[in-house]
Amino acid sequence: MFRRLTLAIATSIIVAGSAMAADPIEGNWKTDSGETAQIAAAGGGFAITLRTGKHSGKRIGEMKANGSGKYKGTITDPADDKTYSGNATIKGNALAMQGCVAVVFCKTQNWKRQ
């Protein structure tokens, strides 16, 4: 009986710990253009890679957590390979992905979690 209880508690702790380890930004996101972008942990931050569409497999960005659901890094337009300073803000299953030139000229896309 004690052995079963210990095993059940240990399993619960392991499952809860691995669920808590994932950052809210990690996962697959549907972009405004209908493609799927995957955001995964990489090198102390997060890598953004397209998984579907014409540019599938292309890495299009890197972000680092800033706290409170905000991220900062770079984002690349896969069509012309131009890289911009980027910001991302996550709220539930919505991700506002923003690329800026000179902080003044910005474009935002709203991605949805898949």
Side-chain angles (χ1 to χ4, degrees):
M1 176 73 172
F2 180 72
R3 192 177 282 181
R4 283 187 187 167
L5 180 60
T6 303
L7 182 59
I9 291 171
T11 302
S12 297
I13 290 171
I14 291 170
V15 170
S18 58
M20 290 170 47
D23 193 276
I25 200 169
E26 289 183 275
N28 293 320
W29 297 86
K30 185 120 181 169
T31 68
D32 279 355
S33 61
E35 296 169 333
T36 298
Q38 180 186 44
I39 302 178
F46 302 94
I48 307 166
T49 306
L50 288 176
R51 292 296 175 210
T52 62
K54 180 180 177 183
H55 303 286
S56 180
K58 190 171 197 172
R59 190 172 181 167
I60 61 164
E62 297 175 355
M63 293 282 164
K64 290 194 179 214
N66 254 4
S68 299
K70 296 182 187 275
Y71 301 81
K72 189 166 186 64
T74 59
I75 191 81
T76 301
D77 183 339
D80 61 14
D81 282 329
K82 289 186 180 178
T83 300
Y84 305 94
S85 63
N87 296 298
T89 304
I90 188 168
K91 291 183 183 174
N93 288 325
L95 178 66
M97 183 66 70
Q98 184 179 62
C100 298
V101 176
V103 186
V104 178
F105 303 105
C106 298
K107 181 178 179 185
T108 301
Q109 286 193 2
N110 296 297
W111 296 2
K112 304 225 181 309
R113 187 180 300 278
Q114 288 188 314

